[in-house]
Amino acid sequence: MTGSPLFDIAGRIALITGSSRGIGRALAQGLLEAGCTVVLNGRDEVALARTRAELAELAGGTVFARAFDVTDSAAVATNVAAIEAEVGPIDILVNNAGMQRRAPLVDFTDDDWRRLIDTNLTSAFVMGREVARRMVPRGHGKIINICSVQSETVRPGIAPYSATKGGLKLLTKGMCADLGPSGIQVNGLGPGYFETELTEALVADEEFSAWVRGRTPAGRWGRVSDLIGALIFLSAPASDFVNGQVLYVDGGMLSVL
């Protein structure tokens, strides 16, 4: 049985930011297994090289790695140009780079606020702008911003993080408004609570973990593999008339009280 051409992304070139580990690594692997040529990104050259080697062996296909800071406009411009010259035109951009800081609002520092804004929100603006400048003349492209259930809701200790993810939701809609007429779809993918290297402490906290399971109709934490189907949909021709939306993959968390 052959797959539907609506979901065929073989041969597309995909750039995934923050993809040396965690959700970004899983998204890169999913696109690689779907037949994309994948370009990994991160700031740690050693971690990036290790992930590139692991994915090349595990998933096959063609995978590149490019280390640069996605919050630095000059570095972004230089490296996007280099990727397009060396690998080819970027068809799919996944803005995944992100970070978390947890603290009561009254204790949150200015520096941590700025780091969250730069990493979670400014990076998507800078990367999206630079890649879109090249997609617009070509008349097609997919930009997928990794949002969060915290794009819609919040809990104590993460107000600044939620502000960045709420901003990313509206940036996604604004990018749709500007880029949609050029044939570019810009959507968000919103994970719920997922088991990753970055959430190990939360998963291990039985009280918190029980809260997640009880709050989620699916009754469990998400697995990174749960995101791949939604990612392929948003990357494929199947979503050519889907624009400015956030697709939540949260086990139903946002649907219930």
Side-chain angles (χ1 to χ4, degrees):
M1 182 182 294
T2 58
S4 167
L6 287 172
F7 295 92
D8 184 7
I9 54 174
R12 307 284 175 90
I13 295 173
L15 169 60
I16 305 96
T17 69
S19 47
S20 62
R21 61 178 178 166
I23 285 175
R25 184 190 189 283
L27 299 180
Q29 182 175 337
L31 291 176
L32 194 61
E33 290 174 341
C36 289
T37 292
V38 165
V39 183
L40 306 173
N41 159 263
R43 289 183 292 186
D44 185 334
E45 291 190 21
V46 174
L48 208 57
R50 181 172 59 247
T51 299
R52 190 207 64 76
E54 290 170 353
L55 290 183
E57 181 177 353
L58 181 66
T62 306
V63 54
F64 298 88
R66 196 89 191 182
F68 62 96
D69 183 349
V70 291
T71 70
D72 182 332
S73 297
V76 166
T78 297
N79 282 277
V80 167
I83 290 166
E84 294 226 341
E86 297 167 15
V87 182
I90 297 166
D91 300 298
I92 302 162
L93 169 65
V94 182
N95 282 315
N96 170 74
M99 66 177 293
Q100 173 65 293
R101 286 284 186 273
R102 298 179 181 91
L105 185 69
V106 295
D107 297 329
F108 218 87
T109 68
D110 290 355
D111 285 345
D112 280 345
W113 166 263
R114 293 188 184 100
R115 275 193 289 270
L116 278 173
I117 292 288
D118 284 348
T119 305
N120 296 355
L121 186 55
T122 302
S123 67
F125 165 71
V126 172
M127 286 296 302
R129 180 183 62 184
E130 190 62 34
V131 172
R133 285 170 173 166
R134 297 163 184 278
M135 287 179 170
V136 166
R138 296 193 286 260
H140 64 87
K142 303 280 188 176
I143 298 176
I144 300 157
N145 295 325
I146 304 305
C147 297
S148 167
V149 290
Q150 268 82 48
S151 296
E152 302 288 348
T153 188
V154 71
R155 59 183 176 81
I158 60 166
Y161 176 82
S162 295
T164 67
K165 291 300 184 177
L168 188 56
K169 172 188 170 182
L170 267 297
L171 178 63
T172 298
K173 292 179 179 294
M175 292 169 76
C176 158
D178 279 358
L179 302 176
S182 297
I184 299 164
Q185 290 82 54
V186 187
N187 291 291
L189 179 59
Y193 284 87
F194 274 70
E195 292 186 47
T196 70
E197 302 155 51
L198 300 180
T199 60
E200 284 178 351
L202 294 178
V203 174
D205 181 334
E206 185 48 43
E207 182 179 358
F208 186 82
S209 204
W211 175 82
V212 169
R213 293 192 299 269
R215 182 70 177 76
T216 305
R220 63 173 176 86
W221 286 74
R223 307 180 190 102
V224 289
S225 58
D226 292 323
L227 294 167
I228 306 306
L231 173 68
I232 290 173
F233 167 66
L234 293 177
S235 301
S239 62
D240 280 354
F241 202 57
V242 178
N243 215 344
Q245 305 302 308
V246 180
L247 175 53
Y248 290 102
V249 182
D250 66 351
M253 176 178 274
L254 286 177
S255 296
V256 300
L257 292 174

